[in-house]
Amino acid sequence: MTFDELPLPAAVLQGIRDTGFSTCTPIQAQTLPLSLSGKDVAGQAQTGTGKTAAFLITLFTRLLTSGRPADKGPRALVLAPTRELVVQIEKDAHQLGAHCGFGIQAIYGGIDYMKQKNALKDGADIVIGTPGRLIDYLKQKVYTLKHIEMLVIDEADRMFDMGFIPDLRFILRRLPPFDARQNLMFSATLNQRVMELSYEFMNLPGKVSVTPEKMTAERVSQTLYHVANKEKFPLLLGLLRREGMSRTMIFVNTKREAERLQDRLNANDLAARVISGDVEQRKRMNILDQFKRGDLPILIATDVASRGLHIEDVTHVINYDLPQDAEDYVHRIGRTARAGAEGTAISFADEDGAFHIEAIEEYIRHKIPVEWAEDDLFVNDYVRPKHRPAPAPAAARPPRQGRRPSGQGGHGHGQHKKPAEKPIVAAPSSAEGEKKKRRRPRRKKPADGGGSPVEP
């Protein structure tokens, strides 16, 4: 099916042509006839198959044909679990909707709080955001959800994994009734709990599923190496030098391992940088831009980057650590072989990672081909980087306010610890002394039981 066969406005078709699209992908061919007719859709497809374009085309078409309300406020809301995914959706929306004239605003944490707040106040037709900051502005009454005509939830299963469902429900309950808006939900996996959410907040959605029997992209060549933990870096170095990997993503399970790997690669003249959950947002975006431009050949990432990132021409994905969650394996290797391209996914199974192979293969429903590395592939004469400086010990920290540093005496010599002394009580002020003088002394009963007071 071509896009010209669909009932699309001229402005939307022009945006599609500008991006170079002409033929629908399978998920688009099954989704668009339903969604363009106004029906709700819950769609499942492999990552990188065009889910974003499917819901953006529907969104632009609906807003162009429904008429613009007089009141200010967003007309469409797109919810995504991660900041990187929000940024990617916003970029695609600007490209596909370049001729539609809509105001598009991304809302996510870690950057431009006041700028985003002012943009919402000024009015935006389409808001794309993560739940946390959207709720923050909503509670401040910066914007309203009363005029939402279309809702899109992307990566719904990831919302559950990241604990966003309470926030998601908070937003959904403040939208117009489900039958007064159109709802689209897209995800790489649609499990039972996701479908329960769709039945609760959507209007009898049609379920669209594309090749669910195969979880991984067909054009990804997968390889598994069984290797000891101490041999992982020598093998990685040998593969990087042999394969000539021009744009490679390396996934690890922890930030500490990511930083260690970055130091070792940089020490061996391989430019690499790290993105993880606690890297400052501006820095993360700058690193991603370098990688997308081709200025940075190797990107090391934790699972924060395994979902939603669309980076063209990623040639290799390497699982330096096998993921503990089988779903993360699918999303990691989905960073390559996107939009019909080919790619290579290489995984290392060390002493710990080997325990996760069975669950991964059961989830993807096929065995990962195993290769055995020849001895000449290992690089053992690599440069060892300098160790990162250890954090300052607790004793070097400044003392708390109002306390003397440990070991200091009353005169500041600090040579010997003074014995504990009773606290010195300050002399009462004159006013306090007067009060004490005015107090009547206690009366004591005389020894003989008489009633007259006796002076003490």
Side-chain angles (χ1 to χ4, degrees), residues 20-248:
F21 298 152
S22 59
T23 305
C24 296
T25 63
I27 185 62
Q28 293 165 358
Q30 292 194 35
T31 300
L32 288 173
L34 291 174
S35 60
L36 290 174
S37 67
K39 295 182 179 179
D40 288 6
V41 174
Q44 174 187 4
Q46 302 167 17
T47 183
T49 54
K51 299 191 303 292
T52 303
F55 68 70
L56 286 176
I57 291 171
T58 303
L59 188 154
F60 292 138
T61 301
R62 181 178 178 89
L63 296 190
L64 285 171
T65 56
S66 68
R68 184 185 299 272
D71 299 89
K72 280 190 174 183
R75 301 173 58 196
L77 179 64
V78 181
L79 297 171
T82 65
R83 293 172 284 189
E84 286 76 17
L85 182 53
V86 168
V87 172
Q88 185 61 52
I89 295 172
E90 182 195 27
K91 180 181 176 183
D92 293 343
H94 280 295
Q95 291 177 346
L96 285 169
H99 304 280
C100 296
F102 294 125
I104 302 169
Q105 180 60 44
I107 303 295
Y108 53 94
I111 190 172
D112 293 336
Y113 186 90
M114 290 307 299
K115 182 178 178 182
Q116 293 178 1
K117 184 176 181 179
N118 293 333
L120 279 178
K121 283 183 177 179
D122 295 339
D125 300 298
I126 302 167
V127 173
I128 307 164
T130 53
R133 182 158 287 192
L134 284 170
I135 291 176
D136 188 359
Y137 292 141
L138 190 60
K139 288 181 176 179
Q140 298 180 46
K141 298 183 179 180
V142 176
Y143 69 107
T144 178
L145 296 173
K146 294 179 180 178
H147 307 292
I148 295 295
E149 304 172 38
M150 186 163 187
L151 168 71
V152 179
I153 302 175
D154 198 14
E155 298 288 0
D157 56 341
R158 190 64 168 172
M159 294 280 193
F160 277 95
D161 296 339
M162 299 179 70
F164 283 145
I165 295 305
D167 290 344
L168 189 60
R169 292 180 183 275
F170 181 91
I171 294 174
L172 296 180
R173 286 169 180 159
R174 283 153 181 81
L175 294 173
F178 63 86
D179 54 353
R181 64 177 193 263
Q182 187 176 7
N183 308 278
L184 302 181
M185 180 184 290
F186 286 86
S187 178
T189 56
L190 286 177
N191 52 38
Q192 184 60 35
R193 57 184 182 174
V194 173
M195 291 308 299
E196 288 176 358
L197 184 72
S198 70
Y199 295 141
E200 182 180 356
F201 292 101
M202 299 174 72
N203 187 21
L204 298 175
K207 187 175 179 181
V208 175
S209 184
V210 177
T211 61
E213 69 279 356
K214 185 160 180 154
M215 299 300 298
T216 56
E218 294 181 1
R219 294 178 178 268
V220 179
S221 172
Q222 301 175 61
T223 304
L224 177 69
Y225 287 98
H226 287 273
V227 59
N229 184 57
K230 64 181 180 180
E231 296 176 333
K232 284 164 67 174
F233 184 74
L235 177 58
L236 173 66
L237 206 55
L239 288 170
L240 290 172
R241 291 178 177 177
R242 184 189 73 176
E243 299 280 343
M245 303 176 186
S246 58
R247 189 170 296 178
T248 302

Side-chain angles (χ1 to χ4, degrees), residues 249-254 258 261 273-276 299-306 309 318 332:
M249 293 188 71
I250 303 176
F251 284 97
V252 295
N253 290 343
T254 65
L261 187 57
R273 297 191 71 180
V274 171
I275 61 168
S276 60
L299 181 66
I300 306 169
T302 56
D303 283 311
V304 69
S306 66
L309 292 182
I318 298 177
R332 285 183 180 187

